[in-house]
Structures are given as C-alpha cells and as structure tokens.
Amino acid sequence: MINFHRINAGALFPALFLLITNLCGIYGTSSKQDFLTLAIARVDPIVGPLDGYSSHMHTFFGANFTSYNVTLQDLLSAKGNTGNVLENKSLYWYPTIYHFNLETRLFEIAEIWFHSAYYAWVTNETRAFPEGFRMISGGDPDIYGEQDFNTGCTDPGPCPGNDCSTFGDYSTFFPKTSCKELQLFLKMPECWDGVNLDSADHRSHVAHAQPIGLTNGTCPTTHPVKLPTIRVFTRIYNYKGGYHIFSDGTQFMHADYISGWNETFLQAVLNSCSNPSMDADPDAFCGPPLTFTDIPAGTTVKESAGVDEDIVLALQAVQPPSFDTSSFATEQTNNLLRLQGNPTMYLASQLSSYLQSLTGTSSPTTAPTIQYKVLFTIPSVDISEVDATFISTMKDNLASLLNVAASIINLTFAAGSVVATVTFTSSSASGQTPQALAQSLNSQGSAAISTQIGYTVTGVTSNAVSPTPQSSDGGSDSGGGGDETSEERGREAGWEVAAFDDGWC
C-alpha cells in the first residue's frame, strides 16, 4: 500500500496519463537511471560560494566528483559515476535530510537507500541539454512559484513510540508515520529560453511546462525550447517517521542539476530511442543506446530493474572508487547539536520550542537574539566631526527604514565608515522575521537603501549569534561561580540545536 502526500495526479498515476496520451496519439519515451549517494558536504557548485562552505549541507549523487566549484570538464573527466548509465556524468544534489533524535537530542542523517533520475521526452522533438547547462528546481512555492515535489509512503506504520508529533503545523512534507519505504520526488523544469546556460537566480532561464504535472505539457513562449523532463527520486528504506527536516531548515524540497552529458551523444539518444512511457516508468530504459553497467555480463539490453533490493545490490557492484571530500570539506556532517551553516529562521524561532516541550525543559521567555549588521561608507566625513546630532539622525533614518526602535541600533565608527549593528528578536521588525528583513534589504539593492537613509551604502550583510537564555522572571540568567556557562544552559534549553552557526549568512 502506498500513501501519497501532497502529490499531483501526473506523478501519482503515470499509467493513467500514459493511457490518455496514447489515446490522444501522443507517444513519448523515458529512461530510468539509478544511483547511490556520492557524498555529503556543505558545498554548492551552483549557488556557491565557489571558494568555501555553502549555507547548508547537501547530498550528492551522479558523477564521481564534487567541490565548491564544478565545471563541465570536471564532470566529463570524473572517474565514473554512482549510477548505472556509463554516459551520464551529470551531477545532482539536494539539501541533506536529517532526523532529530529526541533521546540523544542530535540531528542524525537519514540514511538514503538509493536515488533515481527519470528522463522523459518526445522522440525527435526534444533538444539535448547544452554543454554547461545547470538549473535549480523546487523550494518554497510562495517564493518560487508553482513547484512539483511530493512524497510517497509505502506500507505506512505507527508513529515513533506511538507519538505522531512533528515540528508543529510546519510539518507539511515529511510523513509523521513510519514507512517501509519513503519516496521523495521532484520534477525539474523542461522548458529553456534557448540562450542562457544559467541565470542569476539559477531558475529564470528555465520554466515548467503547463500543466505542471504532465510531462508532455506546453512550454511558455518565453521558454520555447523543450528539454528532457527529469524527475529526481530519493528513497529512504524503513523510514522512522517523526521529526525530519531538510538541512536548510525547511520542508520544501529543492534540487540542483549540472548536465554532464556529451551533447551530441544525448541528442542522438533523444532522436533514436522510443518507448511508450512518457513519465516515470520503472521499466523503461533506452538501453541501448544508453550503456547500462548493472546488467548481467554478456548482455547488452536493459530489460528490467527488478525489485528495489536487487537495484541496490546491482548498484553496489558497479560503484566507482570512493570519493574523498576531505580536501575541501572537513566539518562534521552527522550527529549534530545544530544544523551546520545558516538554515532558515524557522529553526531559530520555532523548532526549539517544540523540542523543549517534548523533552520537558523549561522554555526561555525570549526568542533568540539575532544581530543584523549594515555597513555604510560615508565619504568626506571627518570622524572627529561625528557628533550626537549626526549619530541621532543616522539612527533615526535607519530605524525608519527597518521599522524598529532607534534604541536597538548601535553605531561604531572607523576611518571613513560606520558599522550599524541592529539587535532584535524575530518579532521586532514589523512582523517580519529578521531573515526575511535581511533578504528584503538585499533585494532592494545598495542604491535604493542609500536614497532612503541619506548615506552611501556599500553592502547589507547579516549574521546570527547564539542567544542568551532568559530566567523565568524575564531577566538575564548570567550565572556565576561554578554554574554552567550560558552556552551550556542554552544547549540544555534547546537553543543550540536551533541557532545558526556564527558567521556571515
């Protein structure tokens, strides 16, 4: 039995859509390709930064290479891949899935069974991915528009300890119950603008065909070139249920893709192979012309994937040499007190209260303290001329922009510049979370902010600091003598697991 959660009809009933498309005279082709995990590391070859750790942990599969920065040549020259198709050197990744263990109070990596990428296209009517092509799909629909990502739970079981609590009302993606197998799946856009291999947001150069759940949908006029549809599947065997979350602190699935196909070869496959499937068909392969490495010796045709257990065993037999991430990522990835990097404000403002209520610890009376720093450059101003009026005016202008009280703004001066540090909780900024406010400032741009406050702004950056737990009377619990440190008390209160790492976002 499979229970599908927040799923569209195209993904839930591929056989039905196959029947409909066949009756309508529309025939298509698909190829199922399976993978084991390559690596888990806090790098992001698309979003970056391209010389350091990214904002959250990622799980990679595909070509036997990843790093801060990945080029097409890196993929094509990689020593194999973690999948079963020789020619597919593409790289796929998504935010690592964590389970919060209520007993150890640690974030544990949810063990992935295997991954799949289903390629679907209309034969002789589909363009191969151009070399160097990359894209991102998924994420919060309120930010990125309509998306197509879902879960499917095979043989649902009881909740852990018969407790079906999860992360409150925020839990809308990961099932509360256990599952014999949990499938997470996401559809990548298949419509391209025909010009750009990437875009500033890594999304605008592509679009979903409409209707979004149907592979053979219609591309918008702005993105007229039809590419193969890719459906990314990730499977967890013996899913525990309960507290699960992506490493970015959300329950919105997203995935990244860099094509590692030889464009000429892929175009030949798209033009020559034909099988009546058109969607995520588990028994459609196109092998040959694709070279499947997991078929029995002496055979050339991929005919059946077998049951999932067989798929995993076959993949294990054809894995490349283990990929070593230690040259660029050395931090701990599993059994974490808190999620590495800069997950969303959800963790800082809500997750900790759920964990406190479940573990019986007292809740602090204040939300975590978040500091946001805005750097201003003030040309032709002698620091010695900075007086109380100057400071008051700057504070008032900044307070008006942020819609906060001037009293929570602190200014420090250095040669030719001012650093304004604004300290507030998640409810202080006109109903916005601090993270959303920082994103809003960044999106306005330095020129717009400069106009609003009357000074030249060279940048808007933000970071979060570990909170100071409050005593039950609302005062600061400073401790003393042989008492625990504030950091230790914060961990016991549940804030440590919910706070950002120190450092710039």
Side-chain angles (χ1 to χ4, degrees):
M1 175 183 178
I2 300 179
N3 278 8
F4 286 88
H5 173 74
R6 202 155 63 87
I7 191 167
N8 63 63
L12 178 55
F13 301 118
L16 175 59
F17 274 96
L18 173 61
L19 174 62
I20 293 173
T21 54
N22 283 346
L23 289 175
C24 295
I26 302 172
Y27 294 89
T29 300
S30 74
S31 173
K32 177 178 184 282
Q33 303 172 26
D34 299 312
F35 306 80
L36 295 185
T37 297
L38 168 70
I40 294 175
R42 188 155 65 90
V43 295
D44 192 325
I46 289 183
V47 176
L50 301 183
D51 58 356
Y53 285 128
S54 61
S55 61
H56 52 269
M57 205 72 67
H58 291 102
T59 298
F60 293 84
F61 62 96
N64 195 32
F65 181 85
T66 190
S67 187
Y68 303 123
N69 189 11
V70 174
T71 67
L72 173 63
Q73 189 55 46
D74 289 329
L75 300 182
L76 294 179
S77 61
K79 296 180 180 179
N81 62 65
T82 67
N84 59 351
V85 172
L86 181 67
E87 297 88 0
N88 186 1
K89 293 290 191 70
S90 301
L91 188 63
Y92 315 74
W93 66 98
Y94 57 89
T96 301
I97 302 167
Y98 281 92
H99 169 253
F100 186 76
N101 187 317
L102 291 176
E103 294 182 1
T104 64
R105 303 191 67 190
L106 298 175
F107 286 94
E108 305 169 342
I109 292 175
E111 184 175 353
I112 302 303
W113 201 17
F114 69 103
H115 316 270
S116 300
Y118 294 81
Y119 285 72
W121 66 95
V122 177
T123 303
N124 257 330
E125 297 180 17
T126 306
R127 169 78 153 79
F129 296 109
E131 294 181 355
F133 180 86
R134 52 188 60 198
M135 63 179 167
I136 299 176
S137 183
D140 187 348
D142 289 339
I143 298 175
Y144 302 112
E146 185 181 17
Q147 302 296 318
D148 188 356
F149 54 87
N150 314 282
T151 61
C153 179
T154 303
D155 295 335
C159 297
N162 293 318
D163 181 359
C164 289
S165 301
T166 53
F167 294 132
D169 293 337
Y170 193 78
S171 292
T172 58
F173 186 68
F174 289 101
K176 299 178 180 181
T177 66
S178 61
C179 308
K180 185 66 174 179
E181 178 183 340
L182 177 66
Q183 296 185 14
L184 298 84
F185 37 107
L186 173 146
K187 174 181 169 290
M188 306 293 286
E190 66 270 74
C191 300
W192 178 41
D193 65 11
V195 177
N196 298 291
L197 301 178
D198 195 2
S199 50
D201 62 358
H202 315 295
R203 298 170 180 267
S204 300
H205 61 304
V206 291
H208 288 283
Q210 297 296 324
I212 193 170
L214 183 59
T215 298
N216 195 36
T218 302
C219 285
T221 56
T222 54
H223 298 77
V225 180
K226 180 67 76 69
L227 302 171
T229 299
I230 302 177
R231 292 188 184 274
V232 175
F233 277 63
T234 287
R235 296 169 173 86
I236 300 175
Y237 186 65
N238 285 334
Y239 171 76
K240 298 177 180 179
Y243 291 78
H244 283 77
I245 200 161
F246 286 111
S247 60
D248 63 352
T250 77
Q251 296 210 5
F252 299 113
M253 187 176 183
H254 73 263
D256 300 45
Y257 173 77
I258 299 179
S259 176
W261 292 96
N262 175 289
E263 183 178 352
T264 302
F265 173 82
L266 181 59
Q267 189 64 62
V269 173
L270 300 179
N271 290 344
S272 63
C273 184
S274 180
N275 56 53
S277 49
M278 261 320 284
D279 214 306
D281 189 329
D283 289 310
F285 306 103
C286 279
L290 297 175
T291 305
F292 280 83
T293 59
D294 60 345
I295 59 179
T299 62
T300 59
V301 179
K302 177 78 170 182
E303 295 180 341
S304 174
V307 297
D308 286 351
E309 290 83 354
D310 293 339
I311 293 174
V312 173
L313 289 174
L315 287 171
Q316 290 172 345
V318 297
Q319 287 303 290
S322 179
F323 185 75
D324 183 7
T325 63
S326 62
S327 64
F328 59 86
T330 59
E331 66 183 356
Q332 183 177 344
T333 60
N334 199 10
N335 296 316
L336 306 174
L337 283 170
R338 57 184 173 183
L339 297 179
Q340 302 278 31
N342 299 311
T344 67
M345 271 305 302
Y346 165 72
L347 284 177
S349 62
Q350 297 185 44
L351 172 57
S352 57
S353 63
Y354 293 123
L355 303 184
Q356 290 157 10
S357 65
L358 290 166
T359 55
T361 57
S362 58
S363 298
T365 58
T366 62
T369 296
I370 308 299
Q371 285 188 344
Y372 281 85
K373 298 181 180 181
V374 183
L375 176 65
F376 300 87
T377 298
I378 310 172
S380 304
V381 173
D382 189 334
I383 296 299
S384 64
E385 298 177 357
V386 174
D387 56 17
T389 301
F390 181 95
I391 293 173
S392 177
T393 300
M394 175 173 278
K395 280 190 173 183
D396 287 343
N397 289 345
L398 185 59
S400 177
L401 170 67
L402 300 177
N403 196 17
V404 298
S407 60
I408 68 173
I409 300 173
N410 180 57
L411 302 181
T412 56
F413 297 86
S417 66
V418 178
V419 175
T421 304
V422 186
T423 304
F424 52 88
T425 64
S426 60
S427 60
S428 301
S430 186
Q432 294 189 79
T433 65
Q435 185 78 350
L437 179 59
Q439 291 173 348
S440 174
L441 291 173
N442 277 301
S443 66
Q444 291 182 53
S446 298
I449 299 172
S450 300
T451 300
Q452 293 181 66
I453 67 172
Y455 303 101
T456 301
V457 180
T458 59
V460 180
T461 51
S462 62
N463 77 327
V465 297
S466 299
T468 301
Q470 302 293 308
S471 62
S472 58
D473 61 3
S476 176
D477 187 359
S478 59
D483 289 349
E484 301 168 296
T485 65
S486 61
E487 182 178 349
E488 289 169 337
R489 285 192 299 273
R491 184 182 299 118
E492 289 188 357
W495 291 119
E496 172 103 39
V497 299
F500 294 94
D501 277 342
D502 295 338
W504 296 109
C505 294

